[in-house]
Structures are given as C-alpha cells and as structure tokens.
Amino acid sequence: MSHSQHPVALRLEQRVGGAARLLATVMALPLVDGIFPAMVLAGALSDPIGILEVGLLVFGGSATVAVILAEMSGSRRERVETTLAVGVVVLVLAGVEAALAPTIESLLDLVVFERFAALVILAIAAKTASARVGEYLPRPAVIVGLGMVASLDPANAQLVLVPDFTLVLRGVAAAGTGVAFALAVAVTSPWLHDAVDIDRFRFGSAVALGVLGLSVLGLVPDDAPLALAVLGVTTLLAFDPGEVDEESGEATAEETTASTTADEETDIGPDRAPWL
C-alpha cells in the first residue's frame, strides 16, 4: 500500500489494491474515462508531435512514474514484466477505441466536442497539480459525457465497418509511446528511485498537460511543441542525482526493495509529498 497522502492516490489504492493493479488503473484510466477517445476525435494525433505528447502526458506522466518508482517492489526484472503485461492490454484497448473513433465522429459536432476535450485535459492538469482544487472539479468522464451530449448531431450518423487503419496505427503509437516510457522507467527504476523528485515531476507534468489543453483550444500554436518542451524542462528540474549513493553511483534493486519494505513498516507523516 502507498504511503501517499494524496486523496486520489489513496482512493485508487483502496479500490484496486496492489502495485500492479494500481499501474493498470493509472495507465488504462484515459481509455476508461474517455480521455483518449476525446483526444483522438479532437485531432490530437494528427502529427508525430501530437502522438508523442498524448503518449507521454496521457499514458505516461507523473502517476505512471510514481507508481513504478514509489509503489512497486521487487527486482528490476519483476517491474519490467509487470509493466510490459499492463502495456500489452493498454495497446490493445487503444487500438480498439481508435478503430471506433470514425463511428463516434459521425455522431458529433467536432467543433463543439473539441472544446470539451480541451476542458478534460485542463481539469486533469488541475487535479494533478492540486488535490484540493481537484475536489471541486467534475470527473473527466463527466466532462466527456457532457461534451458528447452537447455536440450530439445524429443527422449524419453512420456505422463505419471498415476502420481507418492510419488512425488505429496512430492510436497504438500514442499508447506505445506511453508504454515505452513506462518500460524505460521500470528498467532504470533502481537508480531513478533516488534520483528523481516525484513531486517536482508531478507539478511539471500538470503544467505540460495544461499547455496541451490550451493547444487543443487553439490558444497555443500547434507548430510549436511547447508541451514537450515543458515536459523536458520538468524532467531536468526533477532530476536530483545528489540523493544517489556516491560510492556506487546507483541504487541496487535489493536496496530499493529493502527501502520499500522499511517504508511499509514505518508510519509516514503528513508531510510526505503527494505523487499523483
């Protein structure tokens, strides 16, 4: 169980339990809450930059990093195997939802729906940055549902039996980017565990998500990958190698496991930095 004091993190753990299930919940949440389909319909995957942004910020992000680094125990191999198993499911579901996107698109007025898609991203960014602010905001699924109702236009509805394979590939590529990012974190987790300030990365990811939402609204130039730039700066600021053992240069898997076990046996005070 996590020692995080973040209310969202605690609620997730109470519902799913276990680090593997928690990682699956975090990475699959964009597919369940409708965030990913909203991004697909809003045209966020129209270019490679958009695919990277959605993959790193929606499927990757601070929650994925925190679960792997702060909640998973065991060796590097065990973390990689767990992450890979979750990643396969995410890839399949992302492909299915991208295949259904043309049918959903025929039912909606995309100009209206894109506004709600941007609101979803901004709401997630606010929830990530501050749990207190997030308490006053509706769930992403609620915003997506309202957006579908407000933009419903059944006059041109049609069942698309042949999926747009280009769109499916883009959807899988976005999910694959997030999975690859998670695998990279799992592989380097024994070292990153003591070299990354999760709280800084969480806040910076929230800012990057906010920039992505503004770009969907057209308030940020699409030709400038500002969200990726913010994420890059966030990664640099969150990197704190001073905490790593100076003699070995990295923390071993055994040390990481021992540290996690020790945390589980100790009451952590309310000053612990939230991870989600």
Side-chain angles (χ1 to χ4, degrees), residues 120-191:
V120 169
I121 301 172
L122 293 175
I124 296 173
K127 287 174 178 286
T128 303
S130 172
R132 184 175 298 276
V133 173
E135 293 177 357
Y136 300 99
L137 297 176
R139 292 182 55 188
V142 174
I143 301 176
V144 172
L146 291 175
M148 295 187 71
V149 172
S151 59
L152 187 63
D153 184 16
N156 298 319
Q158 57 181 340
L159 177 63
V160 181
L161 299 178
V162 180
D164 184 344
F165 290 105
T166 301
L167 187 59
V168 172
L169 289 176
R170 290 175 179 174
V172 173
T177 300
V179 172
F181 174 75
L183 285 173
V185 174
V187 169
T188 57
S189 57
W191 179 65

Side-chain angles (χ1 to χ4, degrees), residues 84-258:
L84 186 60
V86 172
V88 170
V89 176
V90 171
L91 288 174
V92 172
L93 292 178
V96 172
E97 292 194 357
L100 294 175
T103 298
I104 300 175
E105 181 179 1
S106 66
L107 292 168
L108 305 176
D109 182 343
L110 289 184
V111 176
V112 176
F113 187 76
E114 285 179 3
R115 303 295 183 267
F116 282 88
L119 291 178
V120 169
I121 301 172
L122 293 175
I124 296 173
K127 287 174 178 286
T128 303
S130 172
R132 184 175 298 276
V133 173
E135 293 177 357
Y136 300 99
L137 297 176
R139 292 182 55 188
V142 174
I143 301 176
V144 172
L146 291 175
M148 295 187 71
V149 172
S151 59
L152 187 63
D153 184 16
N156 298 319
Q158 57 181 340
L159 177 63
V160 181
L161 299 178
V162 180
D164 184 344
F165 290 105
T166 301
L167 187 59
V168 172
L169 289 176
R170 290 175 179 174
V172 173
T177 300
V179 172
F181 174 75
L183 285 173
V185 174
V187 169
T188 57
S189 57
W191 179 65
L192 289 179
H193 183 272
D194 294 319
V196 172
D197 187 320
I198 295 177
D199 192 42
R200 291 181 189 172
F201 189 79
R202 173 186 60 85
F203 188 80
S205 296
V207 176
L209 268 174
V211 173
L212 180 60
L214 293 177
S215 67
V216 174
L217 285 173
L219 301 178
V220 175
D222 293 334
D223 56 348
L226 295 182
L228 290 180
V230 172
L231 185 62
V233 173
T234 295
T235 303
L236 291 177
L237 293 177
F239 183 66
D240 187 12
E243 297 295 330
V244 182
D245 189 341
E246 295 180 356
E247 294 181 359
S248 63
E250 61 181 8
T252 62
E254 291 77 11
E255 291 171 341
T256 302
T257 304

